[in-house]
Amino acid sequence: RVKQEGRNGFNLYNPDMNKDAQRALALGTRLRSAINNDELELYYQPIVDLSTDKIVGAEALMRWRDEEFGAVSPEEFIPIAEKNGLIHRIGELAISKACMQAAEWQQISPIHLSVNISSVQFRYCEQLYAQIRHALLKSGLDPELLDIEVTESLLFNHNEEVLQLLSRLQSMGIKLTIDDFGTGYSALSYLQKFPFDRLKIDRSFLQQIENKSEDRELVNAILAMAKALKLEVVAEGIESQKHVDYLKGKRCEFGQGYFYSKPVPASEFEQLLHEVVAA
Ligand code: C2E
Ligand code: MG
Ligand code: MG
Ligand code: MG
């Protein structure tokens, strides 16, 4: 076969690419049955008020453990789901489960809930709107407590319909967050044009904050800009007391990271909430 391809002058066969494509295809198939068998699970990571050290929110993050492939990272399966269309079902699961969970937790503490929504889900604005509305009605969660996280890629490929949906969600009371800020096509004009309430500084900026002065300056600049635009700020990827001290010194309001807690199953998150209330 290889010989034949050579004779025709084509040799598109790339063993590595083939392996990646095969894995993606297999994962896609497994993912579909995982959804059907209700095997995806949401983990929750605390969002902390840096001035009080109290948990004020939770970000819902999808977890998948496959029998054959083991734990597959969302960094790998979300892009696959975005390509094969499963993201619409995953998104619906995430929003409905997370809203139910957050509504239940209100009895312990008045926390916010953050859910990631892929740009691909915005290709069907009406469907997305219906999913969100249904999740809120069914759970009874106050829309003011729901926070939707989108990335800059949504703004880059946006259309009028997306802008309308965002405004519509915001007028219901839902909070809009721009996630991974600083890693995409950030443009100041987008921040003004879109109705955001919050901005999440990508964790890559914090990683080098101790030894790279440029990264410190970037964090400072983002904080100043957010303040000017009246956006709340959440710093992602807080891993040390040094990170906390730096951010507090710069009046960053909220934070999230392994220093406080990794994403944990719902039962463990509930324990954390009880501890906070007891403290
Ligand atoms: P994200 O929304 O930016 O979520 C934050 C990621 O940073 C999570 O990775 C979290 O575990 C990780 N993280 C938090 N604190 C730290 C820290 O201190 N250090 C380090 N090194 N990492 C930290 P995770 O859970 O692997 O998720 C990766 C991405 O997958 C998410 O990034 C999000 O873009 C996507 N994702 C996860 N669940 C969903 C979902 O339900 N729907 C959609 N559309 N995307 C999802
Ligand atoms: Mg996020
Ligand atoms: Mg992020
Ligand atoms: Mg991310």
Side-chain angles (χ1 to χ4, degrees):
R1 251 196 79 188
V2 171
K3 226 177 176 178
Q4 212 173 21
E5 279 165 4
R7 193 174 57 214
N8 294 335
F10 295 107
N11 197 353
L12 296 176
Y13 181 73
N14 172 337
D16 289 335
M17 210 170 92
N18 196 37
K19 221 171 133 196
D20 287 354
Q22 268 175 16
R23 180 175 160 91
L25 200 65
L27 282 175
T29 308
R30 304 286 299 179
L31 186 56
R32 188 178 305 273
S33 65
I35 294 169
N36 291 337
N37 299 330
D38 196 22
E39 287 167 4
L40 295 182
E41 189 184 358
L42 282 178
Y43 273 38
Y44 297 87
Q45 187 177 34
I47 296 173
V48 173
D49 181 332
L50 294 179
S51 63
T52 61
D53 275 350
K54 292 262 155 76
I55 298 176
V56 292
E59 178 174 10
L61 295 156
M62 200 56 94
R63 293 291 179 265
W64 175 33
R65 174 172 288 282
D66 178 72
E67 265 178 28
E68 191 185 326
F69 291 94
V72 186
S73 162
E75 306 263 17
E76 183 173 20
F77 73 76
I78 294 290
I80 291 173
E82 286 175 338
K83 287 193 194 90
N84 70 11
L86 289 174
I87 192 64
H88 302 288
R89 293 182 62 196
I90 291 179
E92 181 174 27
L93 276 174
I95 189 103
S96 66
K97 284 194 184 189
C99 285
M100 291 298 273
Q101 192 56 261
E104 211 184 295
W105 285 336
Q106 295 309 306
Q107 291 166 3
I108 309 171
S109 178
I111 57 161
H112 278 250
L113 167 82
S114 301
V115 182
N116 295 288
I117 306 274
S118 155
S119 307
V120 174
Q121 292 174 260
F122 281 87
R123 285 189 199 151
Y124 301 99
C125 283
E126 278 309 315
Q127 173 181 281
L128 180 57
Y129 175 73
Q131 288 176 354
I132 294 170
R133 224 181 81 92
H134 184 250
L136 285 170
L137 287 175
K138 196 173 158 217
S139 65
L141 183 72
D142 179 352
E144 303 269 352
L145 296 175
L146 178 61
D147 213 310
I148 281 176
E149 297 192 1
V150 302
T151 58
E152 290 159 299
S153 64
L154 179 68
L155 314 185
F156 192 66
N157 301 309
H158 79 280
N159 54 40
E160 239 2 83
E161 227 196 324
V162 168
L163 192 54
Q164 272 172 28
L165 176 57
L166 291 174
S167 305
R168 203 159 151 206
L169 295 174
Q170 198 176 45
S171 65
M172 289 164 69
I174 296 171
K175 301 287 179 291
L176 303 177
T177 296
I178 178 149
D179 203 352
D180 302 342
F181 186 80
T183 59
Y185 315 94
S186 337
L188 289 172
S189 60
Y190 291 146
L191 283 182
Q192 272 195 323
K193 178 165 181 179
F194 290 85
F196 287 107
D197 303 286
R198 289 178 144 187
L199 172 162
K200 272 194 167 184
I201 304 180
D202 191 69
R203 67 167 189 261
S204 58
F205 293 105
L206 275 197
Q207 261 156 20
Q208 298 290 329
I209 212 164
E210 280 164 63
N211 32 36
K212 269 179 80 184
S213 62
E214 306 95 89
D215 281 12
R216 277 197 297 279
E217 290 309 325
L218 277 172
V219 169
N220 298 348
I222 293 172
L223 286 167
M225 182 205 67
K227 195 168 187 187
L229 293 170
K230 300 198 168 56
L231 299 169
E232 290 181 342
V233 179
V234 185
E236 269 188 343
I238 297 182
E239 293 186 350
S240 67
Q241 184 66 53
K242 281 200 170 127
H243 288 164
V244 176
D245 294 342
Y246 186 81
L247 292 163
K248 276 188 182 175
K250 295 293 169 188
R251 302 270 178 279
C252 177
E253 297 149 290
F254 303 105
Q256 181 181 354
Y258 294 173
F259 178 75
Y260 294 106
S261 168
K262 289 197 168 187
V264 293
S267 59
E268 274 179 53
F269 189 87
E270 200 165 310
Q271 289 298 313
L272 293 174
L273 275 187
H274 280 301
E275 284 165 26
V276 169
V277 172

Coordinates of all heavy atoms in Angstrom, one line a residue, residues 128-166:
L128 N -29.8 26.6 23.3 CA -29.1 26.9 24.5 C -29.9 27.6 25.5 O -29.9 27.3 26.7 CB -27.8 27.7 24.1 CG -26.9 28.1 25.3 CD1 -26.4 26.8 26.1 CD2 -25.7 28.8 24.7
Y129 N -30.7 28.6 25.0 CA -31.5 29.4 25.9 C -32.5 28.5 26.5 O -32.8 28.6 27.7 CB -32.2 30.5 25.0 CG -33.3 31.3 25.8 CD1 -32.9 32.2 26.8 CD2 -34.6 31.1 25.6 CE1 -33.8 32.9 27.5 CE2 -35.6 31.8 26.4 CZ -35.1 32.7 27.3 OH -36.1 33.4 28.0
A130 N -33.1 27.6 25.8 CA -34.2 26.7 26.3 C -33.6 25.8 27.4 O -34.2 25.5 28.4 CB -34.8 25.9 25.2
Q131 N -32.3 25.3 27.1 CA -31.7 24.4 28.1 C -31.4 25.2 29.5 O -31.7 24.6 30.5 CB -30.3 23.9 27.6 CG -30.5 22.9 26.5 CD -29.1 22.5 25.9 OE1 -28.1 23.1 26.2 NE2 -29.1 21.5 25.0
I132 N -31.0 26.4 29.3 CA -30.7 27.2 30.6 C -32.0 27.5 31.3 O -32.1 27.3 32.5 CB -29.9 28.5 30.2 CG1 -28.5 28.1 29.6 CG2 -29.8 29.4 31.4 CD1 -27.8 29.2 29.0
R133 N -33.0 27.9 30.6 CA -34.3 28.3 31.2 C -34.9 27.1 31.9 O -35.3 27.2 33.0 CB -35.2 28.8 30.1 CG -36.0 30.0 30.5 CD -36.9 30.5 29.4 NE -38.1 29.7 29.4 CZ -39.2 30.0 30.1 NH1 -39.2 31.2 30.7 NH2 -40.3 29.3 30.1
H134 N -34.8 25.9 31.2 CA -35.4 24.7 31.8 C -34.6 24.3 33.0 O -35.3 23.9 34.0 CB -35.3 23.6 30.7 CG -36.0 22.3 31.2 ND1 -35.2 21.2 31.5 CD2 -37.2 22.0 31.4 CE1 -36.0 20.2 31.9 NE2 -37.3 20.7 31.8
A135 N -33.3 24.4 33.0 CA -32.5 24.0 34.2 C -32.8 24.9 35.4 O -32.9 24.4 36.5 CB -31.0 24.1 33.9
L136 N -33.1 26.2 35.1 CA -33.4 27.1 36.2 C -34.8 26.8 36.8 O -35.0 26.8 38.0 CB -33.3 28.6 35.7 CG -31.9 29.1 35.5 CD1 -31.9 30.4 34.8 CD2 -31.2 29.2 36.9
L137 N -35.7 26.6 35.8 CA -37.1 26.4 36.3 C -37.2 25.1 37.1 O -37.8 25.0 38.2 CB -38.1 26.3 35.1 CG -38.4 27.7 34.4 CD1 -39.2 27.5 33.2 CD2 -39.1 28.6 35.4
K138 N -36.5 24.0 36.6 CA -36.6 22.7 37.2 C -36.0 22.7 38.6 O -36.5 22.1 39.5 CB -36.0 21.7 36.3 CG -36.3 20.3 36.6 CD -35.8 19.3 35.6 CE -35.7 17.9 36.2 NZ -34.6 17.1 35.8
S139 N -34.8 23.4 38.7 CA -34.1 23.4 39.9 C -34.6 24.4 40.9 O -34.4 24.3 42.1 CB -32.6 23.6 39.7 OG -32.5 25.0 39.2
G140 N -35.2 25.5 40.4 CA -35.7 26.6 41.3 C -34.5 27.5 41.7 O -34.7 28.3 42.5
L141 N -33.3 27.3 41.1 CA -32.2 28.1 41.4 C -32.4 29.6 41.0 O -32.9 29.8 39.9 CB -30.9 27.6 40.7 CG -29.6 28.4 41.1 CD1 -29.2 28.1 42.5 CD2 -28.5 28.0 40.1
D142 N -32.1 30.5 41.9 CA -32.2 31.9 41.6 C -31.2 32.2 40.4 O -30.0 32.0 40.6 CB -31.9 32.7 42.8 CG -31.9 34.2 42.6 OD1 -32.1 34.7 41.5 OD2 -31.8 34.9 43.6
P143 N -31.7 32.8 39.3 CA -30.8 33.1 38.2 C -29.7 34.0 38.5 O -28.6 33.9 37.9 CB -31.7 33.8 37.1 CG -33.1 33.4 37.5 CD -33.1 33.1 39.0
E144 N -29.9 34.8 39.6 CA -28.8 35.7 40.0 C -27.6 34.9 40.5 O -26.5 35.4 40.7 CB -29.3 36.6 41.2 CG -30.5 37.4 40.9 CD -30.1 38.8 40.4 OE1 -28.9 39.1 40.4 OE2 -31.0 39.5 39.9
L145 N -27.8 33.6 40.9 CA -26.7 32.8 41.4 C -26.1 31.9 40.3 O -25.1 31.2 40.6 CB -27.3 31.8 42.5 CG -27.9 32.6 43.7 CD1 -28.5 31.6 44.7 CD2 -26.8 33.4 44.4
L146 N -26.5 32.1 39.1 CA -25.9 31.3 38.0 C -25.0 32.2 37.3 O -25.3 33.3 36.9 CB -27.0 30.8 37.1 CG -26.5 30.0 35.9 CD1 -25.7 28.8 36.2 CD2 -27.7 29.6 34.9
D147 N -23.8 31.7 37.0 CA -22.7 32.4 36.4 C -22.3 31.6 35.1 O -22.0 30.4 35.3 CB -21.6 32.4 37.3 CG -20.7 33.6 37.2 OD1 -20.4 33.9 36.1 OD2 -20.5 34.2 38.3
I148 N -22.4 32.2 34.0 CA -22.0 31.5 32.8 C -20.6 31.9 32.3 O -20.4 33.1 32.1 CB -23.1 31.7 31.7 CG1 -24.3 30.7 32.0 CG2 -22.6 31.4 30.3 CD1 -25.4 30.9 31.1
E149 N -19.8 30.9 32.1 CA -18.4 31.2 31.7 C -18.2 30.9 30.2 O -18.5 29.8 29.7 CB -17.4 30.4 32.5 CG -17.4 30.7 33.9 CD -16.2 30.1 34.7 OE1 -15.4 29.4 34.1 OE2 -16.2 30.3 35.9
V150 N -17.8 32.0 29.4 CA -17.5 31.8 28.0 C -16.1 32.2 27.7 O -15.5 33.0 28.5 CB -18.5 32.6 27.1 CG1 -20.0 32.2 27.4 CG2 -18.4 34.1 27.3
T151 N -15.5 31.8 26.7 CA -14.2 32.2 26.4 C -14.1 33.2 25.2 O -15.2 33.4 24.6 CB -13.3 31.0 25.9 OG1 -13.9 30.4 24.8 CG2 -13.2 29.9 27.0
E152 N -13.0 33.8 25.1 CA -12.8 34.8 24.1 C -13.1 34.4 22.6 O -13.5 35.3 21.8 CB -11.4 35.4 24.2 CG -11.2 36.2 25.5 CD -9.7 36.3 25.8 OE1 -9.0 35.3 26.0 OE2 -9.3 37.5 25.9
S153 N -13.0 33.1 22.4 CA -13.3 32.7 21.0 C -14.7 33.0 20.6 O -15.0 33.2 19.4 CB -13.0 31.2 20.9 OG -13.9 30.4 21.7
L154 N -15.6 33.0 21.6 CA -17.0 33.3 21.3 C -17.1 34.8 20.8 O -17.9 35.1 19.9 CB -17.9 33.2 22.6 CG -19.4 33.6 22.4 CD1 -20.1 32.5 21.5 CD2 -20.1 33.7 23.7
L155 N -16.3 35.6 21.3 CA -16.4 37.1 20.9 C -15.8 37.3 19.6 O -16.2 38.1 18.8 CB -15.7 37.9 22.0 CG -16.0 37.5 23.4 CD1 -15.3 38.5 24.4 CD2 -17.5 37.5 23.7
F156 N -14.8 36.4 19.3 CA -14.1 36.6 18.0 C -15.0 36.2 16.8 O -15.0 36.8 15.8 CB -12.9 35.7 18.0 CG -11.9 36.0 16.9 CD1 -11.3 37.2 16.8 CD2 -11.7 35.0 16.0 CE1 -10.4 37.5 15.8 CE2 -10.8 35.3 14.9 CZ -10.1 36.5 14.9
N157 N -15.8 35.1 17.0 CA -16.7 34.6 16.0 C -18.1 35.0 16.2 O -19.0 34.4 15.7 CB -16.6 33.1 15.9 CG -15.2 32.6 15.7 OD1 -14.5 33.0 14.8 ND2 -14.7 31.7 16.5
H158 N -18.4 36.0 16.9 CA -19.7 36.3 17.4 C -20.6 36.8 16.2 O -20.1 37.2 15.2 CB -19.7 37.4 18.4 CG -19.6 38.8 17.9 ND1 -18.3 39.3 17.6 CD2 -20.5 39.7 17.6 CE1 -18.5 40.5 17.1 NE2 -19.8 40.8 17.2
N159 N -21.9 36.8 16.4 CA -22.8 37.4 15.5 C -23.9 38.1 16.3 O -23.9 38.0 17.6 CB -23.4 36.4 14.5 CG -24.1 35.2 15.3 OD1 -24.7 35.4 16.3 ND2 -23.9 34.0 14.8
E160 N -24.8 38.7 15.7 CA -25.9 39.5 16.4 C -26.7 38.6 17.4 O -27.1 39.0 18.4 CB -26.8 40.1 15.4 CG -27.0 41.6 15.4 CD -26.1 42.4 16.4 OE1 -25.0 42.7 16.1 OE2 -26.7 42.7 17.5
E161 N -26.9 37.3 16.9 CA -27.7 36.4 17.7 C -27.1 36.1 19.0 O -27.7 36.0 20.1 CB -27.9 35.1 16.9 CG -29.3 34.6 16.9 CD -29.3 33.1 16.4 OE1 -28.5 32.8 15.6 OE2 -30.2 32.4 16.9
V162 N -25.7 35.9 19.0 CA -25.0 35.6 20.2 C -25.1 36.8 21.2 O -25.4 36.6 22.4 CB -23.5 35.3 19.9 CG1 -22.7 35.3 21.2 CG2 -23.4 34.0 19.2
L163 N -24.9 38.0 20.6 CA -25.0 39.2 21.5 C -26.4 39.3 22.1 O -26.5 39.6 23.3 CB -24.7 40.4 20.6 CG -24.5 41.7 21.3 CD1 -23.4 41.6 22.3 CD2 -24.1 42.8 20.2
Q164 N -27.4 39.0 21.3 CA -28.8 39.1 21.8 C -29.0 38.1 22.9 O -29.7 38.4 23.9 CB -29.8 38.8 20.7 CG -30.2 40.1 20.0 CD -31.1 39.7 18.7 OE1 -31.7 38.7 18.7 NE2 -31.0 40.6 17.7
L165 N -28.5 36.8 22.7 CA -28.7 35.8 23.8 C -28.0 36.2 25.1 O -28.6 36.1 26.1 CB -28.2 34.4 23.3 CG -28.2 33.3 24.3 CD1 -29.6 33.1 24.8 CD2 -27.7 32.0 23.8
L166 N -26.8 36.7 24.9 CA -26.1 37.1 26.2 C -26.9 38.2 26.9 O -27.0 38.2 28.1 CB -24.6 37.6 25.8 CG -23.7 36.5 25.3 CD1 -22.4 37.2 24.9 CD2 -23.4 35.5 26.4

